[in-house]
Amino acid sequence: MILFKRPDDLVDFIQKKRKSLIKIGFVPTMGALHQGHISLIEKSKSENDITICSIFINPTQFNNPSDFEKYPVSIETDIEQLELNGCDILLMPSVTDIYPENFQKSNFELGYLETILEGKHRTGHFQGVCMVVNRLLEIVNCDILYLGQKDYQQCMVIKKMVLDLKIPVKIEIMPTLREANGLAMSSRNQRLNETEKANALSIYEVLKFLKANIFEISLTALKEACFLKLATKGFKVDYIEITDELLNPIDTTQRNQTIVAMVAATIGEVRLIDNMIINNANNSE
Ligand code: PAF
């Protein structure tokens, strides 16, 4: 694996490689890698000639300074895992490489996606995500961008940005990987203690409960039951929402409609998000 710290060096490298019509896959991360990230690397390797991963803890997407300061860092094991899994290139830029002094901040038009769910609870978060992903895409100039479904709303936001800015990249969204107990893999899980980790599986249980009962019980009663279950396990719940595929909240359900359950809740100091497609017109999760 080749490690690039300076984006300009990677840009030069890619420009040379591009002369031989290669296909490039890109997996952006904030490090603290887990099997979910590795599954994206594997997918990219199977579809491209070169796979690039970036590790950059992006300050502009953290609305809470303490969340930024406490974001897990494990560079050495990250590099080992990437090498072990055949990643070709790692980009590890500094904050000033990504946001140099002359960096022009733009405002991304994200519409309702910025005012609901994560957008509502983390003001400015998605502007920060777009800012960094747009910048990274400029640098890596990839053919396919790989993202995880665990960040369902982030995937929609990035898709919108790519479409609006006419960035010539295909986006592939890979399924959420889970621990043996069902907890969605996340870098933030590293910050959970054993008890919190055991209790955190209730998020998955709640999602499964919603899926099993979506056509059986009223949505209000379902959400109340889930709220209670998470609160009993020590969670402070930001939202439990039932939406359509585009994340518009729904108040009635239809069997021929894709229905998504979205959850965000904090246990101890750690805020976790998860989601599940609980009814899919084609095939369910
Ligand atoms: O999902 C993440 O890890 C981050 O939001 C991303 C896409 C790498 C941008 O910083």
Side-chain angles (χ1 to χ4, degrees):
M1 182 169 73
I2 313 176
L3 169 63
F4 287 90
K5 291 209 166 164
R6 296 194 46 241
D8 289 351
D9 294 341
L10 179 56
V11 170
D12 286 349
F13 179 89
I14 291 168
Q15 258 170 16
K16 284 182 195 129
K17 288 278 173 196
R18 279 286 185 207
K19 289 187 181 131
S20 52
L21 276 180
I22 51 151
K23 235 179 124 186
I24 299 177
F26 175 47
V27 180
T29 81
M30 298 205 294
L33 302 183
H34 50 71
Q35 205 46 43
H37 295 116
I38 299 303
S39 72
L40 305 186
I41 299 283
E42 283 169 352
K43 180 73 171 156
S44 170
K45 277 188 67 68
S46 72
E47 296 180 335
N48 299 281
D49 304 300
I50 290 187
T51 291
I52 306 178
C53 174
S54 65
I55 296 182
F56 178 66
I57 305 180
N58 173 35
T60 66
Q61 72 185 73
F62 286 84
N63 54 317
N64 174 349
S66 117
D67 190 24
F68 175 59
E69 278 152 29
K70 293 186 179 160
Y71 200 83
V73 178
S74 55
I75 296 298
E76 275 166 31
T77 44
D78 288 353
I79 292 179
E80 265 169 38
Q81 283 201 69
L82 290 172
E83 281 194 315
L84 207 66
N85 288 282
C87 180
D88 302 295
I89 292 173
L90 170 60
L91 172 67
M92 264 185 24
S94 67
V95 174
T96 45
D97 283 329
I98 293 296
Y99 304 121
E101 249 175 45
N102 59 353
F103 180 75
Q104 293 284 333
K105 261 193 179 180
S106 18
N107 189 60
F108 298 88
E109 186 44 65
L110 301 176
Y112 73 102
L113 286 173
E114 210 169 12
T115 61
I116 56 163
L117 306 167
E118 288 306 279
K120 180 173 168 190
H121 287 268
R122 301 187 66 191
T123 312
H125 167 64
F126 287 129
Q127 287 295 327
V129 168
C130 287
M131 203 182 288
V132 75
V133 173
N134 187 30
R135 178 86 178 94
L136 289 168
L137 288 175
E138 245 171 46
I139 298 165
V140 301
N141 184 18
C142 61
D143 298 277
I144 310 183
L145 168 67
Y146 295 86
L147 300 169
Q149 190 203 305
K150 173 160 170 299
D151 298 301
Y152 191 105
Q153 193 172 359
Q154 169 171 280
C155 293
M156 286 190 61
V157 162
I158 295 175
K159 272 185 178 172
K160 178 163 177 24
M161 176 193 74
V162 160
L163 202 71
D164 289 353
L165 302 183
K166 299 188 174 60
I167 302 174
V169 64
K170 182 179 166 201
I171 297 181
E172 285 194 23
I173 297 170
M174 300 301 294
T176 303
L177 290 200
R178 297 182 182 279
E179 306 285 353
N181 69 2
L183 174 64
M185 288 189 185
S186 162
S187 305
R188 287 190 164 84
N189 294 353
Q190 289 186 18
R191 294 184 54 211
L192 297 170
N193 66 31
E194 284 311 307
T195 319
E196 288 164 351
K197 210 170 204 170
N199 285 337
L201 80 94
S202 353
I203 295 188
Y204 183 53
E205 288 174 352
V206 153
L207 291 171
K208 283 194 300 184
F209 171 77
L210 288 171
K211 182 172 176 169
N213 293 289
I214 189 67
F215 298 114
E216 312 300 327
I217 308 176
S218 82
L219 291 181
T220 314
L222 267 180
K223 284 196 259 182
E224 259 174 40
C226 294
F227 193 94
L228 208 66
K229 161 114 182 154
L230 291 182
T232 319
K233 292 288 176 182
F235 276 99
K236 183 189 153 293
V237 180
D238 276 350
Y239 57 80
I240 297 171
E241 200 52 84
I242 312 287
T243 72
D244 67 12
E245 197 173 0
L246 300 178
L247 295 182
N248 298 298
I250 53 174
D251 43 28
T252 54
T253 53
Q254 285 161 17
R255 285 181 193 271
N256 62 354
Q257 166 192 40
T258 292
I259 304 174
V260 187
M262 304 282 291
V263 177
T266 302
I267 189 156
E269 286 192 341
V270 186
R271 187 172 182 278
L272 300 172
I273 58 169
D274 201 350
N275 66 78
M276 188 183 276
I277 296 170
I278 56 176
N279 189 59
N280 189 328
N282 308 309
N283 63 321
S284 36
E285 192 184 347

